[in-house]
Amino acid sequence: MTETFDPRTVAAGLHSLRQAGRQEATDTFALPADLDQAMEAQDLLAAADGISSNAWKVTVSPQGQAVTGPLHPYAEAVSGADIPWYPGLKFETEIAVRLGSDLPVRTGAYSRTEVVEAIAAVYLGAELLVSAVRESGSVSFLLFVADRLGNSGYVLGPKLEKSVVDTVGGTPLKVTHAGRTIYDGLAQHPKGDVLTWLVDYANDGLRPETSLKTGALITTGTLSGAIELTEPGEIDIELGNSSLSFSVSKG
C-alpha cells in the first residue's frame, strides 16, 4: 500500500474496529515501515482503549525481534472474571510472572538465571485473542504489533510455585469450554522454555527504559496453542493441581 503511514489514523481505525467487534483485511491499512512506527501506533491505540494495567505479553517477530503489547481488558479470576466474546476469539493457557525487581536496559546480556531471580511470583493465566486485522500477523507482523499483538483480554489465575517456570512443560493440561473439552494433553510452550521470549525482551537494547520494572506482569506464551472459542461460555482450566475458571460473554 502506498498510502503514507499515520500512526494516529491507524490507531483510530484499529480502535473503532475493536469497539465494533469487526475485522478488516491488511490491505485496507497503511502499513508501518518499522517497529518504531508500529509501537507508536500501539501506544496511541492503548491510550484510546484507556489501558492502565501494568500487564504485558511478549513474543518475537518472524525476524526474531522481541516485541511486547499491553494486556486489556485485564481481570483477576478471584473477582469473577468475565471477558467479552467476539466471533473469531481465541484462547491460550499461559504462565504469567510478576517482577519483584527491575530489569533495566543494559549493555551486557541477562542470563536466564538473572531473569528468574527478578521474578517475585508466578501465576496460571489465560489470554484471549482476536485481532482487528483479519489475517492477524501473517501478512504484516508490524501491523499486528500496532494492534496490540491481537490481545483482547487476560485473566490472571492462582499463584503457582516459582519452579513452574522450569517444570511446566509436560504437565497435564485440560481445558473445557461451554461443557466441551477443547484441550486435553500436556502443557507445551512453542519454544520449550516459557521464559525464552522474556529473556529475549530483557536483552533488547532498544526497548523503552520504562519497561520491565518492579510490579510489571508479563505473560509468557501459550501452553495449549491458540484455540478458537466458537460461542460464549464458561472456561475451566486444570493445569496439574491448579485450576482457573472464568466466562466469555457476548460483548
Side-chain angles (χ1 to χ4, degrees):
M1 194 159 183
T2 55
E3 186 183 338
T4 303
F5 180 79
D6 175 10
R8 292 187 180 282
T9 301
V10 170
L14 292 170
H15 176 68
S16 62
L17 288 169
R18 281 176 166 271
Q19 293 290 100
R22 292 178 47 236
Q23 296 176 307
E24 292 283 358
T26 301
D27 63 10
T28 63
F29 297 90
L31 302 181
D34 54 34
L35 186 59
D36 285 345
Q37 287 190 347
M39 290 303 296
E40 188 178 359
Q42 186 195 99
D43 290 345
L44 291 163
L45 174 60
D49 287 339
I51 299 175
S52 58
S53 63
N54 189 15
W56 308 87
K57 65 182 291 184
V58 291
T59 188
V60 291
S61 73
Q63 292 74 36
Q65 170 69 47
V67 292
T68 187
L71 301 173
H72 178 79
Y74 169 79
E76 300 193 354
V78 291
S79 58
D82 194 351
I83 299 290
W85 177 88
Y86 297 102
L89 186 73
K90 292 181 180 178
F91 154 90
E92 297 181 349
T93 303
E94 304 198 353
I95 294 295
V97 302
R98 194 179 299 282
L99 296 182
S101 57
D102 294 354
L103 288 168
V105 176
R106 71 181 196 191
T107 49
Y110 286 98
S111 67
R112 185 186 189 277
T113 300
E114 287 177 300
V115 171
V116 171
E117 287 171 352
I119 293 170
V122 177
Y123 302 86
L124 176 60
E127 184 180 4
L128 290 310
L129 298 135
V130 62
S131 178
V133 183
R134 185 167 297 133
E135 301 87 355
S136 297
S138 62
V139 176
S140 171
F141 187 80
L142 290 174
L143 182 63
F144 188 56
V145 170
D147 191 34
R148 299 199 288 105
L149 294 165
N151 174 261
S152 60
Y154 196 82
V155 179
L156 191 72
K159 190 182 284 190
L160 307 174
E161 293 292 328
K162 187 172 173 180
S163 59
V164 161
V165 297
D166 300 318
T167 63
V168 70
T171 303
L173 172 61
K174 184 176 182 179
V175 184
T176 59
H177 170 240
R180 294 184 303 109
T181 299
I182 59 172
Y183 188 90
D184 191 0
L186 301 178
Q188 187 173 3
H189 189 273
K191 303 303 289 185
D193 177 6
V194 296
L195 295 184
T196 296
W197 293 330
L198 177 55
V199 174
D200 287 347
Y201 188 62
N203 289 323
D204 177 13
L206 301 178
R207 65 181 168 92
E209 295 285 344
T210 53
S211 60
L212 300 185
K213 295 290 191 182
T214 302
L217 185 86
I218 301 104
T219 196
T220 58
T222 185
L223 301 173
S224 58
I227 303 165
E228 185 165 347
L229 304 178
T230 55
E231 60 181 329
E234 181 89 3
I235 291 178
D236 297 291
I237 305 167
E238 295 175 21
L239 177 68
N241 296 320
S242 300
S243 60
L244 166 58
S245 297
F246 64 98
S247 296
V248 288
S249 303
K250 272 202 168 172

